[in-house]
């Protein structure tokens, strides 16, 4: 890690490891607080594409910081060898840990989806698509506040610019990403819809034994609500899921439309 970071922070234990570097806990004697540091070894960047991705992540994080449901960037340090990003520390369990243990009621799921969609809407208003929305990237801080994290796959889409490239995670990736066509920021809405479906049912909407089978199921996009699993899920929740998991991108809801839906707004009784 850079000398600049080590002058300001006390480096503590490693808490994660990524493709290009490590994530560690660090302490600021000045503020008395702990933070998460991500140290990227630029010598491990194989080509200019990798270098561009790493630089883009820090720029995007600085752009979307400021929303209470996005992991905040605190400092950036860079020298010839390292790029270090200091972020707020989220050391509670992530959403993946929570969804693997139980299913959620409508009320519990809506309490997660509201701040998640506010974070996604915030990013989209700034011309940023996350492109890897999944439970592992949804963290919680010490006060149990949701924080959207890991912008390593994020991309700019402003000025009407579409995106290309297969990124994301099998269960959560949108069908248009897999098809190889240009796509827009609504890929994040699809991924968030998958998360909502899993929270309410305990199973993914499109599944298979292998990655290839999962991709085939996603491309078919045959959305079902098995009665034995969804018997206690409200009709208004299913309505929102259909609008988030629409294969037709022109009919799929935007982040703002999701935020305006009755299930999110809680303007209707969820037990109807």
């Amino acid at each position: 890690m850079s000398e600049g970071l080590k002058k300001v922070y006390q480096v503590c234990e490693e808490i994660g490891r990524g493709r290009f570097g490590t994530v560690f806990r660090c302490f600021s004697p000045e503020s008395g607080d702990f933070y998460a540091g991500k140290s990227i070894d630029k010598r491990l960047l194989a080509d200019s594409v990798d270098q561009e991705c790493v630089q883009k992540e820090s720029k995007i994080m600085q752009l979307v910081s400021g929303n209470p449901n996005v992991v905040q960037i605190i400092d950036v340090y860079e020298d010839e060898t390292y790029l270090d990003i200091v972020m707020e520390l989220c050391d509670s369990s992530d959403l993946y840990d929570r969804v693997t243990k139980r299913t959620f009621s409508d009320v519990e799921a809506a309490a997660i989806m509201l701040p998640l969609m506010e974070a996604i809407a915030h990013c989209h208003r700034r011309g940023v698509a996350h492109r890897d929305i999944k439970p592992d990237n949804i963290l919680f801080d010490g006060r149990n506040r949701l924080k959207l994290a890991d912008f390593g796959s994020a991309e700019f889409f402003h000025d009407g610019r579409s995106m290309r490239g297969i990124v994301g995670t099998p269960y959560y990736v949108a069908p248009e990403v897999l098809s190889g066509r240009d796509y827009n920021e609504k890929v994040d809405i699809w991924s968030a819809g998958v998360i909502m479906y899993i929270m309410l049912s305990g199973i993914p909407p499109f599944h298979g034994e292998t990655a290839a089978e999962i991709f085939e199921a996603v491309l078919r996009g045959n959305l079902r609500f098995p009665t034995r699993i969804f018997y206690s899920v409200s009709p208004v929740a299913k309505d929102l899921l259909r609008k988030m998991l629409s294969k037709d991108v022109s009919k799929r809801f935007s982040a703002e439309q999701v935020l305006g839906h009755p299930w999110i707004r809680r303007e209707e009784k969820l037990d109807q």
Side-chain angles (χ1 to χ4, degrees):
M1 57 200 65
S2 65
E3 290 302 318
L5 181 140
K6 288 189 281 189
K7 286 178 182 177
V8 179
Y9 295 91
Q10 294 175 4
V11 178
C12 307
E13 76 276 14
E14 181 180 317
I15 54 177
R17 188 170 285 271
R19 184 176 162 201
F20 299 124
T22 57
V23 180
F24 51 88
R25 191 188 308 266
C26 58
F27 177 72
S28 167
E30 181 179 340
S31 70
D33 293 321
F34 284 92
Y35 299 95
K38 183 175 185 178
S39 184
I40 297 161
D41 186 339
K42 294 194 286 188
R43 293 168 298 185
L44 300 176
L45 306 179
D47 51 35
S48 59
V49 174
D50 285 348
Q51 293 169 20
E52 183 185 347
C53 287
V54 164
Q55 294 289 342
K56 187 187 296 177
E57 180 179 3
S58 65
K59 289 177 183 176
I60 284 176
M61 287 194 70
Q62 290 176 76
L63 179 64
V64 299
S65 272
N67 183 280
N69 298 119
V70 174
V71 167
Q72 302 299 295
I73 192 167
I74 308 298
D75 277 317
V76 176
Y77 298 91
E78 186 171 10
D79 59 20
E80 290 184 1
T81 309
Y82 294 101
L83 172 64
D84 298 327
I85 304 172
V86 180
M87 302 164 282
E88 63 178 319
L89 179 65
C90 298
D91 50 3
S92 294
S93 59
D94 59 28
L95 186 59
Y96 179 82
D97 185 59
R98 300 182 185 195
V99 297
T100 54
K101 290 177 178 174
R102 64 182 183 89
T103 56
F104 291 61
S105 69
D106 271 58
V107 173
E108 291 170 329
I112 296 290
M113 289 300 296
L114 174 58
L116 173 59
M117 291 311 306
E118 286 179 338
I120 293 171
H122 170 77
C123 293
H124 289 183
R125 284 192 291 269
R126 279 155 179 74
V128 170
H130 187 282
R131 299 204 301 174
D132 196 18
I133 303 285
K134 60 182 178 180
D136 320 50
N137 290 336
I138 298 167
L139 311 180
F140 297 89
D141 68 9
R143 297 181 184 177
N144 202 36
R145 291 176 299 194
L146 181 146
K147 302 281 183 176
L148 181 60
D150 196 346
F151 286 81
S153 297
E155 183 57 274
F156 296 107
F157 66 85
H158 48 70
D159 301 326
R161 191 172 76 184
S162 59
M163 294 168 280
R164 298 201 78 165
I166 297 179
V167 295
T169 303
Y171 283 121
Y172 306 95
V173 67
E176 62 268 27
V177 174
L178 298 175
S179 71
R181 302 192 307 268
D182 288 359
Y183 52 84
N184 63 24
E185 73 278 9
K186 287 186 180 180
V187 296
D188 289 344
I189 309 305
W190 177 281
S191 302
V194 173
I195 290 172
M196 178 178 161
Y197 187 106
I198 290 172
M199 283 195 292
L200 292 169
S201 68
I203 60 170
F206 314 106
H207 48 84
E209 295 298 318
T210 64
E213 289 179 5
I214 295 167
F215 291 153
E216 288 172 9
V218 169
L219 285 166
R220 286 194 298 271
N222 188 10
L223 183 63
R224 294 176 177 170
F225 302 108
T227 304
R228 64 184 177 80
I229 296 173
F230 277 85
Y231 68 91
S232 64
V233 176
S234 67
V236 70
K238 295 175 192 172
D239 177 72
L240 179 55
L241 283 169
R242 290 187 188 97
K243 286 164 177 165
M244 295 179 74
L245 294 171
S246 169
K247 266 190 73 178
D248 186 338
V249 179
S250 67
K251 294 179 180 177
R252 189 182 307 161
F253 265 17
S254 67
E256 302 290 354
Q257 286 175 306
V258 174
L259 285 171
H261 191 273
W263 187 81
I264 291 282
R265 292 201 316 263
R266 305 296 312 285
E267 289 182 2
E268 292 184 8
K269 291 182 181 178
L270 295 178
D271 57 357
Q272 286 181 340

